[in-house]
Amino acid sequence: TTSIVSAVLIIAGGDISNKLPHLRAGFACPALIPLNTRPLASYVIEFYRGRHDVHLFVDEAFLQEVQLELPPRRHGFTLHGVVRGQGVVDTLRQALQAVPASEDLIVNLVTTIPVADPELNEVQGGSLPAHSTSAWSAISRSGDSLEFHAKGEVRPDHSLAFTGIFRLEAPVLSAAVESAPRRQDLLSVVEEAAS
């Protein structure tokens, strides 16, 4: 039997009620955005289940709603409530405090369905360009190094949208979360870990 050394932190700590007003499903929790006939989080959980210790983090106000739609025992994950903070980096900080010790951690924003397990020290970029001053964080390559572009910053046309999926050793991730300067931008954590 292979032991599971990696934990997956699925971050869904926000409230989308004001961000997606056209979505009439009645769900304010991003984990419950309907995709086909299932909640979005179920696709992310299903991808990692069995290979990793899977944890879903939602605003504590949505715990009961998520438990009803996605019963943790049936779907093979641990559900955690987080206190609404200053942004996604604060949610990740709370997540790190809640999970058992693990050698390395995969971080996956609930809004990105993974297609491949990230390797250790890998950040996954999307296949879509993040144009000039997009609302998305972006990554571009300059020679052998990566350049990180915060939301709204001017970036090269060949920059790719940051998916919100990466994998780091637990101590590296913890240190990067504490020193990340932009609390609303998860890419800030990746940038700190890379420096």
Side-chain angles (χ1 to χ4, degrees):
T1 314
T2 309
S3 77
I4 295 174
V5 296
S6 299
V8 177
L9 312 179
I10 303 170
I11 306 299
D15 181 335
I16 60 166
S17 56
N18 294 325
K19 293 180 183 170
L20 299 173
H22 60 280
L23 194 61
R24 301 276 182 240
F27 294 116
C29 179
L32 299 179
I33 295 172
L35 184 60
N36 295 324
T37 59
R38 296 168 45 194
L40 180 57
S42 69
Y43 291 93
V44 182
I45 292 164
E46 184 177 278
F47 179 82
Y48 292 113
R49 184 178 54 214
R51 295 187 318 280
H52 305 284
D53 183 17
V54 180
H55 299 264
L56 174 63
F57 296 87
V58 301
D59 185 314
E60 62 186 6
F62 304 131
L63 275 174
Q64 187 173 13
E65 189 177 12
V66 173
Q67 286 174 330
L68 290 172
E69 291 293 321
L70 274 172
R73 183 174 289 152
R74 184 179 333 141
H75 290 275
F77 71 99
T78 304
L79 179 63
H80 304 269
V82 293
V83 176
R84 195 171 298 175
Q86 296 177 7
V88 66
V89 177
D90 287 331
T91 301
L92 183 52
R93 182 185 44 75
Q94 291 178 62
L96 290 171
Q97 294 169 351
V99 295
S102 182
E103 287 182 23
D104 63 270
L105 298 161
I106 297 170
V107 176
N108 196 132
L109 290 177
V110 76
T111 51
T112 304
I113 299 172
V115 294
D117 263 10
E119 297 292 326
L120 187 60
N121 299 320
E122 177 185 7
V123 57
Q124 293 184 347
S127 56
L128 298 175
H131 300 291
S132 53
T133 58
S134 169
W136 304 99
S137 301
I139 302 169
S140 62
R141 186 171 292 284
S142 177
D144 289 340
S145 63
L146 295 177
E147 291 182 356
F148 304 101
H149 311 283
K151 297 174 185 179
E153 283 183 359
V154 174
R155 73 277 313 267
D157 288 339
H158 65 276
S159 299
L160 298 177
F162 171 53
T163 63
I165 300 175
F166 59 93
R167 184 174 188 169
L168 294 169
E169 291 176 337
V172 172
L173 179 57
S174 293
V177 164
E178 291 307 316
S179 59
R182 297 184 311 275
R183 308 312 280 175
Q184 298 284 340
D185 189 352
L186 191 59
L187 187 63
S188 184
V189 171
V190 174
E191 194 170 356
E192 286 296 304
S195 60

